[in-house]
Amino acid sequence: MENRSVLELLKSTLGENKVLCSLENLYVYGFDATPVYRGKPMAVIRAYSTEDVMKVLTIANDYAIPVVPRGHGTSLTGAVIPVEGGLILDLSPMKRIEVDVENGIVVAEAGATIGEVNAECRKYGFFFPPDPASAEVATVGGALATDAGGMRGARYGTMRNWVLAMKVVVPGGRVLRLGAPVYKWRCGLNLLHLFVGSEGTLGVITEATLKMLPLPEKIVRLLALFETVDEAVTAICSIRRRALNPLILELLDESTIKSVNEVFNLNMPEVGAAVIADVDGPKEAVERLGKEMAEVFEECGAISVRIASDEGEMEKLYAARRGAYPAVSRLYPIVLIEDIVVPLSKLAEAIRRIKELSSKYGVAIVVFGHAGDGNIHPCICMSSRDEESMRLAEKVFYEICRIAIELGGTVSGEHGIGLQKVHALVEELKYRESSWLLEVMREVKKVFDPKGIMNPGKFFMRCRKCWEV
Ligand SMILES: Cc1cc2nc3c(=O)[nH]c(=O)nc-3n(C[C@H](O)[C@H](O)[C@H](O)COP(=O)(O)OP(=O)(O)OC[C@H]3O[C@@H](n4cnc5c(N)ncnc54)[C@H](O)[C@@H]3O)c2cc1C
């Protein structure tokens, strides 16, 4: 059937208002939060219910039309780019959230944002632990599909650790109900977690049952300033060794501090590195833990340690870290953000080697990230969008991935593979003598998506160049 006829069928099945075909819409939905990728869908479908999704995946499967599920398009890897055209399936209208205090769970539709889930939980004295810096816009579906982490990852890990059940629609329109709304579940193979981090390549998540936690009685936020990144990393490792178990443990290097100051006027002291740490718990304990943590920072050579005294100051520190990527990407036309993880014991070496690359190639590399769990986001910053700069950025990007792999780490801790890290994934698997796992993944995909319509051209593809300058 011709594309035009498929669109007519979609309109008559779903209703005209849910099928967007204007040039403006097709253009806008061709991007994500990366500066280098773009595609053009044939149409955008706005889904309002699981039934809508079932109808779309029935028609798309019948006529082998590509489908790219989309939350709010904040992907940092090109994961949501419609490289092979087809349909963008926008889940953002699905926003229902229900908190079930008695059972300690929150049920959210795919289009609700992590921030909205948290706001709802807070009304009842609870919170949802994963906390990507993009929480106000990242959707539950997108966060599950990328297995997003965030600042509280140092303690609570990624989305995977907080999902109990999901409703997923697969090509052909069948609904899978994976997991169960209980804290323990041991029935057969764990297909629930197969879909977490699958980046829209297996099916469409329409609803999730998530665990929540009681809000801590008190949080104390510390800002420790260091002359060098090395000292800051030593301090982070000491905090871990002393089993202080912080809620967040974030690193900002000097160029990050300068960037957030310039863009957001934050007035942070422009020293070699800053560490932002949170401790939480009962009032009496938290103050003692905060002091202990401050002592560790001082022993490790901090120039100054400040314990934030009020909500305003605490929020300003959080804003500095949350604003790191937006600040850097406002200052440079091209920023390639990495998402590497290394064992904590190798973090100082990783950053040292990254800074050496910066000098070797004369390229600005800004480093910040969730250092408490070894996950950092070096950003390769280019002042020009020309082909030569792109090639250099790409070269440096893969050299940083290689550093992570050689140090026993991985190329992605939370952003996923998307378009950006296909080669890096292949490299990592090769290094681990596990290249055949890619074949296993392709076979698994065929079980749910035999025609290959779900988010095609992403990490199952055989490598090809996908930059667009
Ligand atoms: C400023 C900024 C800060 C960020 N900070 C963090 C951070 O701290 N931690 C972190 O982990 N990430 C971070 N990110 C990356 C990004 O926000 C996350 O990956 C987020 O979870 C994506 O959510 P989204 O709704 O925008 O998904 P999208 O970008 O729309 O989609 C991402 C992927 O998920 C798939 N997908 C979306 N919805 C569904 C669904 N319902 N069913 C199946 N597949 C689906 C898409 O096909 C795509 O592959 C940041 C991004 C920005 C711009």
Side-chain angles (χ1 to χ4, degrees):
M1 199 189 260
E2 267 187 30
N3 284 354
R4 192 179 305 186
S5 315
V6 174
L7 287 181
E8 287 314 314
L9 180 59
L10 284 164
K11 282 181 189 168
S12 61
T13 311
L14 295 159
E16 296 247 349
N17 61 325
K18 294 180 187 166
V19 183
L20 314 180
C21 301
S22 73
L23 274 182
E24 295 87 332
N25 278 316
L26 301 188
Y27 182 78
V28 169
Y29 280 89
F31 290 91
D32 66 359
T34 55
V36 285
Y37 303 113
R38 61 162 310 200
K40 189 175 174 203
M42 159 183 140
V44 177
I45 315 285
R46 304 252 301 154
Y48 287 78
S49 64
T50 299
E51 289 68 32
D52 282 349
V53 176
M54 291 162 69
K55 287 174 189 164
V56 174
L57 289 201
T58 304
I59 294 173
N61 198 51
D62 284 349
Y63 299 102
I65 309 283
V67 176
V68 182
R70 181 180 167 111
H72 277 148
T74 65
S75 158
L76 291 173
T77 63
V80 78
I81 302 293
V83 270
E84 297 192 8
L87 306 173
I88 289 278
L89 184 52
D90 177 2
L91 280 298
S92 65
M94 295 180 64
K95 285 184 131 356
R96 186 177 45 83
I97 303 171
E98 277 167 30
V99 173
D100 175 351
V101 175
E102 203 171 355
N103 292 306
I105 59 176
V106 50
V107 179
E109 283 190 319
T113 67
I114 299 293
E116 286 162 348
V117 168
N118 243 317
E120 210 48 40
C121 293
R122 278 176 177 275
K123 288 184 192 164
Y124 302 89
F126 289 81
F127 76 108
F128 179 61
D131 181 31
S134 53
E136 293 311 312
V137 273
T139 63
V140 167
L144 282 164
T146 51
D147 194 11
M151 292 191 258
R152 293 196 281 251
R155 163 94 62 80
Y156 294 121
T158 59
M159 290 295 287
R160 177 178 305 277
N161 308 114
W162 298 93
V163 60
L164 297 171
M166 286 194 312
K167 211 186 260 186
V168 175
V169 184
V170 291
R174 178 182 261 182
V175 180
L176 308 181
R177 289 178 175 78
L178 304 170
V182 286
Y183 271 46
K184 285 182 172 175
W185 181 84
R186 261 298 295 115
C187 289
L189 294 181
N190 188 344
L191 298 182
L192 174 76
H193 283 166
L194 181 62
F195 279 79
V196 177
S198 63
E199 300 184 27
T201 60
L202 301 179
V204 181
I205 300 158
T206 59
E207 185 187 286
T209 304
L210 308 164
K211 284 191 275 188
M212 53 184 193
L213 283 181
L215 280 167
E217 198 178 303
K218 189 170 161 85
I219 297 180
V220 166
R221 185 158 297 154
L222 293 93
L223 171 68
L225 302 175
F226 296 87
E227 258 166 29
T228 64
V229 172
D230 248 21
E231 285 169 333
V233 172
T234 305
I236 287 168
C237 295
S238 299
I239 298 272
R240 279 281 180 230
R241 253 197 310 275
R242 304 243 190 133
L244 286 174
N245 199 18
L247 182 60
I248 72 169
L249 197 51
E250 297 285 321
L251 172 75
L252 291 78
D253 76 352
E254 187 174 3
S255 34
T256 309
I257 300 171
K258 285 184 172 157
S259 304
V260 292
N261 277 350
E262 187 172 340
V263 174
F264 299 117
N265 222 358
L266 286 181
N267 217 9
M268 279 181 81
E270 294 185 352
V271 291
V275 176
I276 300 172
D278 276 8
V279 282
D280 64 333
K283 231 178 177 169
E284 317 76 53
V286 120
E287 268 152 30
R288 178 176 50 77
L289 282 172
K291 278 195 196 126
E292 256 181 68
M293 198 173 282
E295 279 165 21
V296 177
F297 285 137
E298 276 155 7
E299 280 166 25
C300 294
I303 311 165
S304 85
V305 183
R306 188 167 166 72
I307 301 184
S309 51
D310 57 49
E311 284 279 322
E313 195 182 352
M314 281 178 66
E315 184 44 42
K316 192 174 153 189
L317 291 180
Y318 216 55
R321 171 56 191 89
R322 210 172 29 216
Y325 177 68
V328 175
S329 44
R330 262 194 236 172
L331 295 174
Y332 294 88
I334 294 288
V335 176
L336 300 188
I337 181 168
E338 301 255 5
D339 175 34
I340 59 167
V341 189
V342 292
L344 210 48
S345 56
K346 298 281 178 8
L347 188 57
E349 183 181 347
I351 297 178
R352 226 174 4 250
R353 286 174 65 179
I354 291 166
K355 296 287 179 188
E356 280 165 17
L357 284 182
S358 171
S359 315
K360 179 175 167 191
Y361 292 109
V363 168
I365 306 179
V366 174
V367 179
F368 56 85
H370 318 299
D373 52 19
N375 181 200
I376 50 168
H377 300 309
C379 289
I380 301 151
C381 306
M382 309 302 288
S383 309
S384 156
R385 293 182 69 97
D386 60 37
E387 184 74 38
E388 197 184 332
S389 306
M390 277 309 304
R391 247 199 299 271
L392 180 58
E394 192 175 18
K395 185 173 169 52
V396 176
F397 186 89
Y398 285 110
E399 289 202 25
I400 293 178
C401 289
R402 186 133 261 281
I403 291 172
I405 297 169
E406 283 172 6
L407 293 178
T410 180
V411 297
S412 176
E414 50 180 28
H415 296 168
I417 301 301
L419 285 173
Q420 191 185 43
K421 275 173 268 166
V422 177
H423 300 262
L425 170 69
V426 172
E427 274 291 299
E428 181 173 332
L429 293 178
K430 206 189 286 172
Y431 192 83
R432 294 187 199 287
E433 297 178 5
S434 301
S435 296
W436 64 281
L437 286 183
L438 217 51
E439 285 310 320
V440 175
M441 290 184 209
R442 288 192 184 107
E443 290 305 312
V444 171
K445 178 173 167 75
K446 276 188 209 155
V447 173
F448 298 102
D449 180 21
K451 295 188 182 174
I453 63 166
M454 292 306 306
N455 206 358
K458 301 294 158 48
F459 61 84
F460 296 101
M461 71 185 182
R462 303 194 193 264
C463 291
R464 68 183 157 100
K465 186 168 163 23
C466 37
W467 297 117
E468 182 166 315
V469 183

